Amino acid sequence: MVHITQGDHNGRGMIISWVTSLNEDGSNVVTYWIASSDGSDNKSAIATTSSYRYFDYTSGYLHHAIIKELEYQTKYFYEFGTGRSTRQFNVMTPPKVGPDVPYTFGVIGDLGQTYASKQTLYNYMSNPKGQAVLFAGDLSYADDHPNHDQSKWDSYGRFVEPSTAYQPWIWAAGNHEIDYAQSIGETQPFKPYKNRYHVPYRASQNKYTPQNSWLQDEFKKVNRSETLWLIVLVHAPWYNINNYHYMEGESMRVTFEPWFVENKVDIVFAGHVHAYERSERVSNIQYNITDGMSTPVKDQNAPVYITIGDGGNIEGIANIFTDPQPSYSAFREASFGHTLLEIKNRTHAHYTWHRNKEDEAVIANSIWLKNRYYLPEEETT
């Protein structure tokens, strides 16, 4: 159960997380070195260690270590463990930020751990282009099992390890991470998720800040000469023409959408709805939920909204769309799959949605996206 995520703002740090059944001396230490070196430059980091109880379950020992001052675009080995239980992995660090540095993200949401989930994960892994994953929430679906069966968090960690141990996954939390169950005495929201999945909140210097204040502060920090593409992860989609979870994101959209348009956000990825959908560039900032008018209009300063909650979860596909298809919905399909976002330079990115089909991924939707800050022109499929 090993996973890594970005550990700082500039890409020279990573958070490495692993689980051990015993808390032996040395089990909380990770050693790392440049793969092309002779090993004499080994460095080490000491993890913070915790465990948690949930109903009748006690977790293993959860270790989280930050490794720092890594070289850009360099392959590293890292290992941890004691005695005969040492495990070794490798990771490629991201390139140094620059105006035209290419980088490719996989995007997955609502994955779970079913046969369809396995298709999604291994279809993504079979393509060598992906360098990191943006994850739009809903991981293990432990809460869909009796008493929020916490062993499902363990099996999920093992399931995704072939990818999460070798490249960063950037996590957003979904409703299935809440794990609030008053009936069994579990009233601390997000307890398993917060213990297992650490994120670089220190880099934002905004711990325990209300979300709207945090977001306003984050937008002020954005330097578009560094953050060329502005991408936002949410869980509940704001533009959704599926009957499942229809309008659930509306109050959030009304509050935050003007900021997204003002700051020229390029793409918003969401999960929650177990289907795929891509919007046109639209906004609805002239209206709100109470005035009876809710018609989105084309807006070249607005993001593309993409629902990618089709990872393969236990609850199945969401296959009831609104008909006729509204003009602001560019493409929709009730199938499992994943996305690749290939950032080419400051102006262009190639976006593809890969539908699961038997044992391979089939590109079913694609578009060349143009950056809202550097090239705010209309796109064509």
Side-chain angles (χ1 to χ4, degrees), residues 70-125:
L70 305 174
E71 299 294 329
Y72 289 112
Q73 204 155 356
T74 301
K75 183 178 179 180
Y76 279 81
F77 287 120
Y78 68 94
E79 71 176 24
F80 44 78
T82 58
R84 297 181 179 179
S85 61
T86 299
R87 304 186 70 195
Q88 185 180 111
F89 304 89
N90 64 78
V91 61
M92 177 68 73
T93 57
K96 186 176 181 179
V97 172
D100 293 300
V101 176
Y103 199 76
T104 299
F105 291 102
V107 190
I108 299 173
D110 299 67
L111 184 58
Q113 44 192 313
T114 66
Y115 177 77
S117 311
K118 183 177 180 180
Q119 283 186 306
T120 299
L121 180 64
Y122 281 82
N123 283 343
Y124 166 70
M125 290 170 56

Side-chain angles (χ1 to χ4, degrees), residues 311-323:
N313 61 86
I314 195 173
E315 296 176 348
I317 205 75
N319 57 3
I320 305 176
F321 286 106
T322 300
D323 285 318

Side-chain angles (χ1 to χ4, degrees), residues 62 123 145 185 224 254 263:
L62 309 168
N123 283 343
H145 298 270
R224 292 304 283 262
V254 169
N263 289 281

Side-chain angles (χ1 to χ4, degrees), residues 166-285:
Y166 295 93
Q167 59 178 234
W169 282 43
I170 314 300
W171 313 96
N175 55 294
H176 285 280
E177 279 69 75
I178 298 174
D179 273 310
Y180 181 92
Q182 188 174 17
S183 62
I184 56 174
E186 292 296 344
T187 57
Q188 180 184 335
F190 298 99
K191 183 199 285 187
Y193 175 76
K194 288 199 296 184
N195 274 279
R196 292 173 181 270
Y197 291 89
H198 283 200
V199 294
Y201 65 85
R202 290 189 182 92
S204 74
Q205 300 175 343
N206 245 323
K207 189 177 181 181
Y208 304 135
T209 306
Q211 186 169 236
N212 58 339
S213 300
W214 170 83
L215 185 58
Q216 282 185 312
D217 289 344
E218 284 297 295
F219 276 135
K220 292 174 185 176
K221 296 176 189 175
V222 172
N223 177 353
R224 292 304 283 262
S225 67
E226 292 181 346
T227 306
L228 306 174
W229 290 80
L230 193 51
I231 301 167
V232 177
L233 295 177
V234 298
H235 185 60
W238 296 359
Y239 287 92
N240 165 39
I241 59 168
N242 200 297
N243 283 6
Y244 290 88
H245 305 302
Y246 181 66
M247 296 286 279
E248 284 186 12
E250 183 64 5
S251 60
M252 189 179 184
R253 182 198 65 77
V254 169
T255 302
F256 294 151
E257 187 179 25
W259 303 349
F260 282 33
V261 174
E262 177 185 349
N263 289 281
K264 297 184 182 295
V265 171
D266 293 292
I267 311 166
V268 177
F269 287 110
H272 200 42
V273 177
H274 302 159
Y276 170 72
E277 185 173 8
R278 175 175 60 83
S279 79
E280 302 286 358
R281 291 197 182 274
V282 293
S283 70
N284 204 1
I285 56 179

